Amino acid sequence: MPATLITVAPTGAEHAKADVPNLPVTLEELVSTARDCERVGASMIHVHIRGADAKPTLDQQRLRDTVAALREQTSLIVQLSSGGAVTDPEADRLAVLDALPDSASCTMGTVNFGDDVFMNRWEFIVELHKRMQERGIVPEYEIFDLGQLATLHRLLDQHGLPAGGHVHVDLVMGVPGGMPGDAETLVAALRLLPEGASFSATGIGRTSLPVMFAALAAGGHLRVGMEDTISYARGERVKDNAQLVARAAGLARIGQRPPMTPDEARELLGVNVTPRTAASAPARSTGG
Ligand code: KMH
Ligand code: ZN
């Protein structure tokens, strides 16, 4: 059984700082969380950034500064979210790639997202995939519902393998409007994975633990973090992201699948071991 890649998703775009005061929103808070999470077993970080007002932003300079700071102060694989917030325009979401992260998320279809809609048109997905191929950015294919795995097959058939040559999927389960976060659904998803693909899984809110146990049992990897859950147990708020990573790492060890180092995770995902600097990124594109 392989070791376990643990991704931390520390912030997301949904929680308000006013409601969740321990949510990392400044660059300083993000780097500090990242360092703590690396220490207890994370090897990749899935990043949504916030502006000075603590609201989600895709500001290009902030993205570049964030990539540079995380590279400088951690060994984590830096994955930027191309999903952003449900209100972000496609052009801004495409321009995220100009910050040249190691990896970026790439969602395989439109899904109801609570009271909102998380929009991912086919042409937009193809554009994200092609730009990541051109720039050597390794995608993580985010799957919110089973039909999105059919879209992934269509994408790979029509447009080829991603940068790095390896397909890695993240099952985001338990979103209101997406697939349920339970063992049966996780097993159903596995039958639809492209051959040779690796997968991680995360369960939103109270589905966090069942999804984590099911993913570990099925040989998968884990994503945890305050983007996905702010509750540690019934009636108990999460203290910080490291608490969630430490729990995932502990369960992985119990399952005889200890956390991977960032270098082992790079090897698995096909992420370039020589990180590029954000300073070498091309001038900001309009994303069109
Ligand atoms: N914030 C959600 C609308 C991703 O990061 O790629 C989308 C999301 C997925 O979180
Ligand atoms: Zn995200």
Side-chain angles (χ1 to χ4, degrees):
M1 289 286 256
T4 305
L5 187 166
I6 300 177
T7 299
V8 62
T11 308
E14 281 71 40
H15 299 302
K17 179 79 167 169
D19 299 335
V20 187
N22 54 345
L23 193 73
V25 296
T26 66
L27 183 53
E28 207 180 11
E29 287 168 349
L30 181 68
V31 169
S32 165
T33 290
R35 288 163 61 95
D36 291 345
C37 291
E38 181 178 356
R39 210 171 296 123
V40 293
S43 48
M44 178 150 75
I45 184 164
H46 168 87
V47 179
H48 291 253
I49 61 164
R50 301 289 177 106
D53 56 2
K55 300 229 169 80
T57 178
L58 295 179
D59 178 82
Q60 184 64 207
Q61 194 54 52
R62 273 184 189 265
L63 285 169
R64 290 178 188 221
D65 291 347
T66 302
V67 171
L70 288 169
R71 286 218 175 109
E72 215 171 275
Q73 299 193 51
T74 77
S75 306
L76 296 169
I77 298 172
V78 180
Q79 178 184 95
L80 290 182
S81 165
S82 73
V86 287
T87 45
D88 284 323
E90 288 182 352
D92 291 358
R93 292 172 57 193
L94 287 167
V96 164
L97 304 179
D98 294 346
L100 292 184
D102 304 310
S103 171
S105 56
C106 183
T107 295
M108 287 295 103
T110 297
V111 64
N112 284 324
F113 198 82
D115 295 341
D116 298 306
V117 175
F118 180 31
M119 186 68 83
N120 294 282
R121 297 180 308 114
W122 169 247
E123 290 84 356
F124 174 69
I125 291 171
V126 170
E127 191 58 35
L128 268 177
H129 179 76
K130 291 208 299 213
R131 288 192 193 196
M132 281 195 248
Q133 280 174 326
E134 285 161 14
R135 290 159 200 219
I137 298 168
V138 171
E140 176 177 271
Y141 298 108
E142 306 290 341
I143 304 295
F144 288 75
D145 215 340
L146 294 183
Q148 294 182 4
L149 285 164
T151 302
L152 175 58
H153 282 275
R154 181 183 179 205
L155 183 71
L156 299 173
D157 288 349
Q158 292 188 10
H159 297 283
L161 285 171
H166 175 74
V167 176
H168 181 69
V169 165
D170 182 47
L171 305 173
V172 185
M173 310 184 74
V175 168
M179 63 185 149
D182 56 36
E184 293 89 335
T185 308
L186 186 134
V187 169
L190 299 190
R191 287 206 305 276
L192 303 171
L193 284 185
E195 198 169 332
S198 55
F199 81 98
S200 60
T202 183
I204 303 302
R206 69 184 58 176
T207 70
S208 173
L209 280 170
V211 167
M212 184 152 34
F213 286 123
L216 273 177
H221 304 281
L222 305 177
R223 175 175 123 172
V224 294
M226 293 173 73
E227 171 167 346
D228 300 335
T229 183
I230 52 170
S231 151
Y232 189 75
R234 194 186 294 264
E236 184 184 341
R237 281 285 184 104
V238 166
K239 189 162 87 43
D240 55 25
N241 281 285
Q243 183 190 31
L244 293 169
V245 173
R247 177 167 69 177
L251 292 173
R253 283 193 193 92
I254 288 169
Q256 303 291 295
R257 299 199 32 225
M260 277 185 189
T261 65
D263 280 349
E264 288 168 339
R266 283 189 168 81
E267 174 98 31
L268 170 76
L269 301 178
V271 169
N272 195 337
V273 282
T274 321
R276 292 145 304 168
T277 58
S280 68
R284 180 174 187 171
S285 104
T286 58

